[in-house]
Amino acid sequence: MKKVIEVQNLYFNYGTKKVLKGLNFIVNPGEIIGLLGSNGAGKTTLLSILLGLLPANKTTWVLEKSPGSKRAKEKIGSMLQGDLILGKVKVSEMLKETAIRYPNPQSLTKILNQINLVSESNKYLSELSGGQLRRVMLGMALIGNPDLLFLDEPTLEMDVKSRQDFWKLIQQMKLSGKTILLSSHYLNEIENVVDRIFILQNGNFIFQGTFPELQSLNHETQLSFKTKLSPQFFKNLPGVKNVELDHDLIKLISQDGDQTLNALKNNLSQLKQITIERQSLDNIFIELTKKESVK
């Protein structure tokens, strides 16, 4: 199997500041990779290197080519953070201008339908909302019919409907064999979409694997319910790490959900609207990066 991205021992410094500290990873065809990390972790630097915007070492390949090479660029689409500042350019003009950079672009009509901006095609960029501008940038990333997509905070400023449409489109692209590397702070949106998760912290990967594998490293369970019992009653139960009161809802974070539930069996009649769930990607990410930052 050909590797879409292969990185070996990648370092990068800004002056004396070490930003990337020997990264190693592979991305296979058709994978969706979620690149996560706190602000300043090195995500944007890594994406910029893979796009050829910053220099790479000689053991970094994208589509089996050097990052930024003409043959690689022709098969890559990117949607980075930042605003489109060409206010007196129309949506259709922006997309057409982007299309001519690629040997086999998709039709303007198809892209406008995919990004739901058909009725805005003759509007100037300065007339669009922040969410609509992000959709234009998505269209610019897609119009070249790329094999590989880099998406940095793609749903930023989009409304709920636009976000839902975006993730449906990502699933369709995955089915068509596209490879996608995306970075997002909306972790709840990506946990059921990505094939693997890369967590970058202080220039190093502290995790590479699937979401179930990440969950298996964190055995905490959240139990939520309504009750007339005092929150203090639950603090000394076996396995309980933390007790939170959210209005009339009590939330228990347990390091051993089975043990905590067994201790509650004689009080179940006093608990209402019980929900039990494994830790979300949001919570695991916060806990994992917190642990790494204090090492």
Side-chain angles (χ1 to χ4, degrees):
M1 179 187 295
K2 294 182 179 180
K3 303 174 183 68
V4 177
I5 300 173
E6 184 172 6
V7 174
Q8 297 178 16
N9 209 28
L10 176 61
Y11 289 83
F12 190 86
N13 298 343
Y14 286 114
T16 58
K17 182 181 179 183
K18 297 179 180 179
V19 180
L20 302 178
K21 305 172 184 177
L23 300 185
N24 295 279
F25 67 95
I26 288 170
V27 177
N28 297 308
E31 280 193 303
I32 300 181
I33 302 295
L35 177 63
L36 310 183
S38 306
N39 290 333
K43 301 189 306 297
T44 300
T45 297
L46 175 57
L47 291 175
S48 296
I49 290 172
L50 296 176
L51 283 166
L53 303 176
L54 290 173
N57 60 12
K58 293 182 180 180
T59 53
T60 296
W61 297 276
V62 177
L63 296 168
E64 301 187 303
K65 307 295 179 185
S66 298
S69 67
K70 184 177 184 295
R71 291 189 66 183
K73 285 182 177 179
E74 289 177 348
K75 298 181 179 180
I76 292 174
S78 63
M79 179 184 180
L80 303 181
Q81 296 188 60
D83 297 326
L84 291 171
I85 57 176
L86 302 174
K88 290 303 179 181
V89 175
K90 294 180 180 179
V91 171
S92 57
E93 292 172 340
M94 194 75 213
L95 293 172
K96 287 177 183 177
E97 179 63 28
T98 304
I100 63 175
R101 304 173 193 172
Y102 295 92
N104 299 297
Q106 301 189 84
S107 73
L108 177 63
T109 300
K110 179 179 179 180
I111 295 300
L112 287 170
N113 276 289
Q114 284 185 326
I115 61 176
N116 293 323
L117 287 179
V118 174
S119 59
E120 288 82 13
S121 64
N122 287 315
K123 285 187 176 182
Y124 291 106
L125 298 179
S126 58
E127 299 176 297
L128 302 183
S129 67
Q132 288 173 328
L133 284 171
R134 292 300 285 167
R135 282 189 272 155
V136 173
M137 294 180 75
L138 175 61
M140 292 167 64
L142 299 178
I143 201 162
N145 194 24
D147 294 327
L148 172 61
L149 270 169
F150 294 98
L151 306 175
D152 192 7
E153 299 296 339
T155 59
L156 189 68
E157 296 192 67
M158 288 187 186
D159 58 31
V160 174
K161 177 64 166 56
S162 295
R163 287 182 183 179
Q164 290 175 341
D165 291 342
F166 170 81
W167 292 115
K168 287 179 184 177
L169 179 58
I170 292 299
Q171 292 285 23
Q172 292 169 7
M173 294 177 68
K174 176 178 171 57
L175 291 174
S176 68
K178 305 295 185 184
T179 305
I180 303 170
L181 182 63
L182 65 89
S183 172
S184 177
H185 282 105
Y186 300 107
L187 305 190
N188 61 309
E189 292 184 344
I190 72 170
E191 63 182 48
N192 296 316
V193 175
V194 298
D195 296 300
R196 287 191 293 151
I197 295 168
F198 295 174
I199 300 180
L200 191 60
Q201 178 80 351
N202 297 324
N204 290 302
F205 284 128
I206 59 174
F207 178 80
Q208 293 185 54
T210 66
F211 181 46
E213 287 170 344
L214 182 59
Q215 281 185 314
S216 71
L217 299 177
N218 188 306
H219 300 287
E220 291 183 354
T221 302
Q222 178 175 291
L223 295 84
S224 304
F225 46 81
K226 293 183 178 181
T227 183
K228 293 182 180 180
L229 295 172
S230 166
Q232 191 67 33
F233 173 82
F234 303 97
K235 287 188 175 180
N236 294 319
L237 290 178
V240 171
K241 175 183 175 183
N242 189 42
V243 179
E244 299 177 11
L245 180 61
D246 184 5
H247 299 291
D248 59 346
L249 189 70
I250 287 181
K251 296 180 181 179
L252 306 183
I253 303 298
S254 172
Q255 295 175 316
D256 189 328
D258 292 337
Q259 193 178 34
T260 302
L261 278 171
N262 188 57
L264 282 169
K265 63 184 180 182
N266 294 327
N267 303 97
L268 289 178
S269 62
Q270 297 172 276
L271 310 181
K272 309 299 180 184
Q273 300 179 28
I274 302 172
T275 61
I276 304 169
E277 57 186 354
R278 297 284 299 276
Q279 288 282 61
S280 67
L281 179 54
D282 264 312
N283 291 336
I284 295 173
F285 174 76
I286 290 169
E287 287 297 318
L288 188 58
T289 53
K290 186 189 300 181
K291 289 176 184 176
E292 290 294 325
S293 66
V294 298
K295 284 185 177 179

